[in-house]
């Protein structure tokens, strides 16, 4: 995805300059908005669902941030200053039959075991899965025991790529936790003689009407009847959701790198677990074209190959006409 993004976003920058238009404004006018089909997707528009105009919000935030530094002078004579931007839409889950399964079991120690087939790559999916389960079960993360990537103890999972660790596996966790919660509440209602609607989870107990029933009592009563509070549920990568990202980039000085300002858009997903969405790969896609566009803005030279090493930049500048002034968009 990174290579197509580099090519497309570089071409968008060239098109904006040919039209004498601000590159961000060109992107703003060509956003695919909720309700419009994503014609580039082979599966058709029904496979991808998004309900908020997140990319427009991203572009606006970057536009405002870039404007704050637009008039800063170069750090010294001989410097060329350039600004570059790039955007990305990323679907959370690949265009395949992506599957994830989660199991949730309330043990005799009153700790919920959450078994998920996916793995943790460092993005925080393990934390998210525990938080999702705890939220649905009305408890704290300390009472969730996570088991991951153990083929003896977990269900199937296609893999933690394309943000599927949160989106697909997270939905499986959500559904399994909901199923266990519903079984506990149904048993508690029958155990107390209360209506189901009067029962709710309260950490280590269930409140049914005016009565607070400890989970230990319910687990013991269920075990006496051969009942276990456990459930397994599956989730699939369709329909997919969309994550948005826009990056703006300041050349020139090493002193300004790697200073990064992260601006978050408040948006919610229509099909993700608890309306959440993954952002993993989306943040990577516009990284390369943004500085490449800034290099063109500063030097007038278009860089069409990666990586943007000092040697490659120097060679391209040497092959082009002498550059004496920088340009800003």
């Amino acid at each position: 995805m990174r290579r197509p993004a580099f090519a497309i976003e570089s071409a968008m920058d060239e098109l904006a300059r040919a039209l004498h238009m601000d590159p961000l404004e060109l992107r703003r006018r060509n956003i695919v908005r909720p309700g419009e089909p994503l014609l580039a997707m082979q599966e058709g528009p029904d496979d991808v669902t998004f309900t908020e105009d997140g990319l427009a919000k991203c572009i606006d935030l970057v536009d405002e941030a870039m404007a704050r530094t637009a008039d800063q002078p170069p750090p010294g004579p001989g410097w060329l200053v350039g600004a570059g931007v790039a955007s990305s839409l990323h679907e959370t889950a690949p265009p395949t039959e992506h599957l994830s399964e989660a199991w949730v079991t309330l043990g005799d120690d009153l700790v919920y075991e959450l078994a998920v087939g996916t793995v943790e790559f460092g993005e925080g999916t393990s934390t998210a899965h525990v938080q999702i389960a705890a939220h649905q079960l009305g408890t704290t993360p300390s009472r969730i025991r996570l088991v991951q990537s153990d083929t003896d103890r977990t269900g199937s999972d296609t893999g933690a790529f394309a943000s599927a660790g949160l989106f697909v596996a997270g939905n499986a966790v959500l559904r399994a936790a909901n199923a266990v919660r519903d079984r506990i509440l149904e048993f508690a209602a029958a155990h107390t003689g209360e209506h189901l609607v009067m029962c709710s989870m309260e950490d280590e107990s269930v409140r049914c009407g005016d009565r607070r029933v400890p989970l230990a009592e319910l687990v013991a009563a269920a075990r006496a009847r051969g009942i276990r509070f456990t459930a397994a549920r599956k989730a699939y990568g369709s329909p997919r959701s969309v994550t948005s990202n826009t990056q703006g980039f300041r050349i020139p000085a090493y002193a300004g790198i790697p200073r990064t300002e992260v601006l978050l858009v408040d948006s919610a997903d229509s099909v993700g677990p608890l309306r959440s969405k993954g952002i993993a790969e989306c943040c990577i896609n516009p990284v390369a074209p943004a500085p490449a566009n800034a290099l063109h803005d500063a030097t007038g030279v278009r860089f069409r190959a990666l990586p943007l090493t000092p040697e490659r930049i120097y060679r391209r500048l040497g092959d082009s006409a002498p550059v004496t002034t920088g340009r800003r968009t």
Side-chain angles (χ1 to χ4, degrees):
M1 184 63 189
R2 264 70 74 192
R3 289 183 178 180
F6 176 71
I8 292 171
E9 288 302 295
S10 296
M12 287 285 286
D13 192 71
E14 289 190 39
L15 181 59
R17 295 174 188 279
L19 295 171
H20 304 288
M21 183 183 295
D22 186 305
L24 277 175
E25 181 59 26
L26 179 63
R27 287 166 174 81
R28 187 181 284 113
R29 294 187 186 185
N30 288 276
I31 291 172
V32 180
R33 301 183 184 277
E36 297 176 350
L38 289 171
L39 299 180
M41 310 307 300
Q42 294 179 354
E43 291 74 21
D46 293 336
D47 185 58
V48 179
T49 301
F50 65 112
T51 57
E52 289 195 333
D53 200 352
L55 185 54
K57 296 177 182 178
C58 290
I59 289 175
D60 289 342
L61 282 178
V62 169
D63 202 3
E64 294 170 4
M66 298 286 279
R68 292 199 298 268
T69 61
D71 297 327
Q72 289 185 2
W79 284 95
L80 299 176
V81 180
V85 297
S87 294
S88 173
L89 282 177
H90 181 80
E91 70 278 5
T92 51
T96 57
E97 185 71 7
H98 198 104
L99 166 68
S100 186
E101 186 174 11
W103 303 342
V104 175
T105 302
L106 177 58
D108 292 341
D109 58 356
L110 305 185
V111 173
Y112 296 93
E113 181 172 284
L114 170 61
V116 191
T118 190
V119 298
E120 170 64 67
F121 277 130
E123 308 98 325
T125 52
S126 297
T127 300
H129 292 163
V130 169
Q131 290 173 333
I132 291 170
H135 182 272
Q136 298 308 106
L137 291 164
T139 187
T140 60
S142 62
R143 291 189 52 239
I144 306 293
R145 180 170 53 243
L146 180 65
V147 178
Q148 281 185 316
S149 312
D150 185 336
T151 54
D152 285 335
R153 301 173 62 189
T154 66
S156 301
D157 194 281
T158 307
F161 52 91
S163 300
L166 173 70
F167 181 70
V168 186
N171 267 329
V173 169
L174 181 79
R175 294 170 185 175
N178 285 347
V180 169
R181 177 199 62 199
D182 291 346
R183 291 185 180 184
I184 293 173
L185 293 178
E186 289 168 2
F187 186 87
H191 183 71
T192 60
E194 273 285 1
H195 293 293
L196 178 60
V197 294
M198 299 298 295
C199 296
S200 60
M201 304 292 294
E202 288 190 357
D203 197 19
E204 295 189 22
S205 64
V206 175
R207 179 169 296 280
C208 288
D210 296 330
R211 181 179 175 186
R212 182 176 176 273
V213 186
L215 274 181
E217 178 182 329
L218 294 175
V219 169
R223 190 191 316 116
R225 297 174 55 184
I227 298 173
R228 295 183 68 212
F229 298 128
T230 185
R233 291 293 185 271
K234 296 178 180 178
Y236 298 88
S238 181
R240 293 178 285 160
S241 70
V242 170
T243 304
S244 309
N245 180 247
T246 295
Q247 294 202 10
F249 196 94
R250 297 182 307 116
I251 299 173
Y254 284 116
I257 299 174
R259 181 182 177 277
T260 301
E261 183 179 4
V262 179
L263 305 173
L264 299 179
V265 165
D266 185 10
S267 66
D269 192 87
S270 58
V271 289
L274 299 179
R275 297 185 62 115
S276 63
K277 64 176 71 176
I279 62 172
E281 290 181 69
C282 184
C283 299
I284 302 173
N285 295 336
V287 169
N293 291 337
L295 276 170
H296 179 272
D297 187 43
T299 67
V301 177
R302 175 63 63 182
F303 294 82
R304 304 187 186 280
L306 297 172
L308 299 172
T309 60
E311 295 80 8
R312 179 169 286 174
I313 294 172
Y314 181 80
R315 186 167 57 250
R316 284 285 290 119
L317 293 180
D319 293 341
S320 304
V323 179
T324 58
T325 59
R327 290 169 292 181
R328 295 193 69 113
T329 303

